[in-house]
Amino acid sequence: MSVQQYDEIGEAFEGFKALPLAQYGEVPGFLALVGDVRDKAVLDLASGTGFYSREFKRRGAAEVLGIDISEVMVAAAVEFEQRDPLGVRYEVGDIAELPPLGRRFDVATAVQLLNYAPDAATMERMCRHVHQSLVPGGEFFLLNQTPDYRFDGPPLDKYGFRAELIGEKAEMGPRVRITALLDPPISFESTCPRREVYEASLRAAGFSELAWVPLGVSDAGLRTYGADFWADCLANPPLVMLRCRA
């Protein structure tokens, strides 16, 4: 998905978090993975409209800096901050060309970031910039589309999303289109990188202790919709998390 496409979304991006897969899978799962951020400095990459940036600050982070490549998305995040000041800072920036930030952070997060790298060399460069922005031993948490998701499986429509293959496998993995079934629907196009591409880029950048973490469904999601509703999602998970250490 191009920067221009992101610029056309703006605050509508916030609607994603109300869709069932995001509300009962992504959000509680990713926040649980990141864990306790009290008194920590958090770098939120591909921060969009600042959903996670705000959540980390509410959970006691000492400092939160959100960086996104889209000026419009950052402007929307700044507007949220102005309406309800939490002390979150936002900057426009390309992670592949990220300059030194003047300090190092305890935690870095990235929800759907590295899949937008056009090639493996760019992904590795992104990872190097993240590594250089963390204190020694700092943690990097990622949420990505599952590399081995089966696109011929049951559709995700009832969970609020649609996933389609749109191209042959490239250097990093197949091209995909993810559509959030909002009104009107909003689509993203990116690569679905293979596991070894993620791992090679992160390790080359200096990260260690890489661990893939499955994304489940919260108890609230099970109560709201019932176990049968989530069976397709759990049998063929569309999202997966990854953690590593600088």
Side-chain angles (χ1 to χ4, degrees):
M1 188 178 184
S2 68
V3 178
Q4 181 180 358
Q5 286 176 295
Y6 269 111
D7 286 349
E8 292 168 358
I9 293 176
E11 285 195 22
F13 191 75
E14 287 285 307
F16 286 38
K17 304 308 182 192
L19 297 172
L21 178 60
Q23 184 175 0
Y24 297 112
E26 175 205 317
V27 172
F30 191 64
L31 289 174
L33 179 75
V34 175
D36 188 358
V37 294
R38 284 176 295 182
D39 301 322
K40 293 182 179 179
V42 180
L43 178 61
D44 185 20
L45 303 165
S47 54
T49 52
F51 177 89
Y52 285 108
S53 300
R54 296 192 299 276
E55 194 61 37
F56 296 140
K57 201 70 174 73
R58 290 189 187 107
R59 288 168 178 246
E63 178 182 353
V64 180
L65 172 61
I67 299 179
D68 197 276
I69 197 170
S70 166
E71 292 185 12
V72 172
M73 298 286 265
V74 169
V78 169
E79 189 168 331
F80 278 114
E81 174 67 21
Q82 291 171 342
R83 287 183 211 158
D84 180 17
L86 294 168
V88 181
R89 295 188 297 119
Y90 297 99
E91 294 180 5
V92 177
D94 180 351
I95 310 307
E97 308 299 336
L98 192 66
L101 298 174
R103 65 153 302 161
R104 292 195 173 204
F105 292 78
D106 303 301
V107 171
T109 61
V111 173
Q112 305 288 20
L113 167 66
L114 298 184
N115 53 311
Y116 289 106
D119 49 52
T122 304
M123 183 187 284
E124 182 180 323
R125 195 160 68 248
M126 287 177 165
C127 293
R128 288 186 184 279
H129 288 311
V130 179
H131 190 277
Q132 292 165 5
S133 301
L134 286 168
V135 298
E139 290 186 286
F140 186 24
F141 300 97
L142 304 95
L143 184 137
N144 314 292
Q145 187 169 1
T146 304
D148 39 17
Y149 175 75
R150 301 187 305 277
F151 288 88
D152 58 353
L156 299 171
D157 292 37
K158 64 182 177 181
Y159 308 118
F161 292 87
R162 186 171 297 151
E164 305 163 281
L165 285 172
I166 59 171
E168 296 297 320
K169 285 197 174 182
E171 173 196 5
M172 304 214 309
R175 293 287 298 171
V176 300
R177 178 186 299 117
I178 305 298
T179 301
L181 301 177
L182 298 165
D183 185 17
I186 297 172
S187 292
F188 305 79
E189 292 183 6
S190 71
T191 303
C192 184
R194 298 184 300 277
R195 287 179 190 262
E196 57 266 29
V197 175
Y198 282 115
E199 292 172 2
S201 294
L202 288 162
R203 288 199 171 101
F207 286 102
S208 61
E209 300 180 30
L210 273 66
W212 292 92
V213 181
L215 185 71
V217 175
S218 68
D219 291 342
L222 292 172
R223 287 195 303 270
T224 301
Y225 289 99
D228 289 348
F229 175 85
W230 296 104
D232 292 339
C233 180
L234 294 175
N236 184 24
L239 299 171
V240 69
M241 301 181 292
L242 181 59
R243 68 186 304 162
C244 52
R245 191 176 295 277

